[in-house]
PDB file of all heavy atoms in Angstrom:
ATOM      1  N   ARG L  16      20.892 -22.366   3.198  1.00  0.00           N
ATOM      2  CA  ARG L  16      20.394 -21.754   1.958  1.00  0.00           C
ATOM      3  C   ARG L  16      19.549 -22.716   1.121  1.00  0.00           C
ATOM      4  O   ARG L  16      18.583 -22.321   0.491  1.00  0.00           O
ATOM      5  CB  ARG L  16      21.557 -21.220   1.110  1.00  0.00           C
ATOM      6  CG  ARG L  16      22.354 -20.135   1.779  1.00  0.00           C
ATOM      7  CD  ARG L  16      21.526 -18.872   1.956  1.00  0.00           C
ATOM      8  NE  ARG L  16      22.349 -17.837   2.558  1.00  0.00           N
ATOM      9  CZ  ARG L  16      21.890 -16.959   3.421  1.00  0.00           C
ATOM     10  NH1 ARG L  16      20.634 -16.975   3.798  1.00  0.00           N
ATOM     11  NH2 ARG L  16      22.690 -16.057   3.924  1.00  0.00           N
ATOM     12  N   LEU L  22      11.874 -23.846   0.865  1.00  0.00           N
ATOM     13  CA  LEU L  22      10.692 -23.163   1.401  1.00  0.00           C
ATOM     14  C   LEU L  22      10.151 -22.160   0.385  1.00  0.00           C
ATOM     15  O   LEU L  22       8.936 -22.045   0.193  1.00  0.00           O
ATOM     16  CB  LEU L  22      11.020 -22.455   2.724  1.00  0.00           C
ATOM     17  CG  LEU L  22      11.265 -23.348   3.928  1.00  0.00           C
ATOM     18  CD1 LEU L  22      11.704 -22.515   5.141  1.00  0.00           C
ATOM     19  CD2 LEU L  22      10.024 -24.169   4.262  1.00  0.00           C
ATOM     20  N   GLU L  45       5.753  -9.370  -7.443  1.00  0.00           N
ATOM     21  CA  GLU L  45       7.033 -10.092  -7.400  1.00  0.00           C
ATOM     22  C   GLU L  45       8.020  -9.388  -6.475  1.00  0.00           C
ATOM     23  O   GLU L  45       8.738 -10.041  -5.712  1.00  0.00           O
ATOM     24  CB  GLU L  45       7.616 -10.223  -8.804  1.00  0.00           C
ATOM     25  CG  GLU L  45       6.857 -11.196  -9.678  1.00  0.00           C
ATOM     26  CD  GLU L  45       7.267 -11.162 -11.143  1.00  0.00           C
ATOM     27  OE1 GLU L  45       7.904 -10.162 -11.583  1.00  0.00           O
ATOM     28  OE2 GLU L  45       6.953 -12.129 -11.858  1.00  0.00           O
ATOM     29  N   GLU L 137     -10.286 -12.839   6.450  1.00  0.00           N
ATOM     30  CA  GLU L 137     -11.245 -12.943   7.553  1.00  0.00           C
ATOM     31  C   GLU L 137     -10.989 -11.922   8.660  1.00  0.00           C
ATOM     32  O   GLU L 137     -11.101 -12.221   9.848  1.00  0.00           O
ATOM     33  CB  GLU L 137     -11.278 -14.368   8.103  1.00  0.00           C
ATOM     34  CG  GLU L 137     -11.704 -15.378   7.059  1.00  0.00           C
ATOM     35  CD  GLU L 137     -11.694 -16.819   7.558  1.00  0.00           C
ATOM     36  OE1 GLU L 137     -11.177 -17.085   8.668  1.00  0.00           O
ATOM     37  OE2 GLU L 137     -12.228 -17.668   6.829  1.00  0.00           O
ATOM     38  N   LYS L 138     -10.659 -10.702   8.244  1.00  0.00           N
ATOM     39  CA  LYS L 138     -10.454  -9.616   9.203  1.00  0.00           C
ATOM     40  C   LYS L 138     -11.799  -8.968   9.520  1.00  0.00           C
ATOM     41  O   LYS L 138     -12.688  -8.899   8.689  1.00  0.00           O
ATOM     42  CB  LYS L 138      -9.514  -8.551   8.627  1.00  0.00           C
ATOM     43  CG  LYS L 138      -8.132  -9.049   8.270  1.00  0.00           C
ATOM     44  CD  LYS L 138      -7.316  -9.322   9.489  1.00  0.00           C
ATOM     45  CE  LYS L 138      -5.902  -9.720   9.111  1.00  0.00           C
ATOM     46  NZ  LYS L 138      -5.166 -10.242  10.226  1.00  0.00           N
ATOM     47  N   THR L 166     -21.822  -7.501  -8.220  1.00  0.00           N
ATOM     48  CA  THR L 166     -23.139  -7.773  -8.779  1.00  0.00           C
ATOM     49  C   THR L 166     -23.267  -7.160 -10.166  1.00  0.00           C
ATOM     50  O   THR L 166     -23.705  -7.825 -11.112  1.00  0.00           O
ATOM     51  CB  THR L 166     -24.238  -7.201  -7.851  1.00  0.00           C
ATOM     52  OG1 THR L 166     -24.142  -7.819  -6.590  1.00  0.00           O
ATOM     53  CG2 THR L 166     -25.618  -7.425  -8.430  1.00  0.00           C
ATOM     54  N   GLU L 172     -21.429  -9.267 -17.368  1.00  0.00           N
ATOM     55  CA  GLU L 172     -20.891 -10.489 -17.984  1.00  0.00           C
ATOM     56  C   GLU L 172     -22.025 -11.365 -18.519  1.00  0.00           C
ATOM     57  O   GLU L 172     -21.935 -11.909 -19.609  1.00  0.00           O
ATOM     58  CB  GLU L 172     -20.068 -11.280 -16.957  1.00  0.00           C
ATOM     59  CG  GLU L 172     -18.746 -10.654 -16.604  1.00  0.00           C
ATOM     60  CD  GLU L 172     -17.729 -10.794 -17.708  1.00  0.00           C
ATOM     61  OE1 GLU L 172     -17.521 -11.912 -18.205  1.00  0.00           O
ATOM     62  OE2 GLU L 172     -17.137  -9.764 -18.071  1.00  0.00           O
TER      63      GLU L 172
END
Side-chain angles (χ1 to χ4, degrees):
R16 298 293 182 216
L22 289 175
E45 289 170 342
E137 299 178 350
K138 300 287 184 191
T166 299
E172 288 286 309

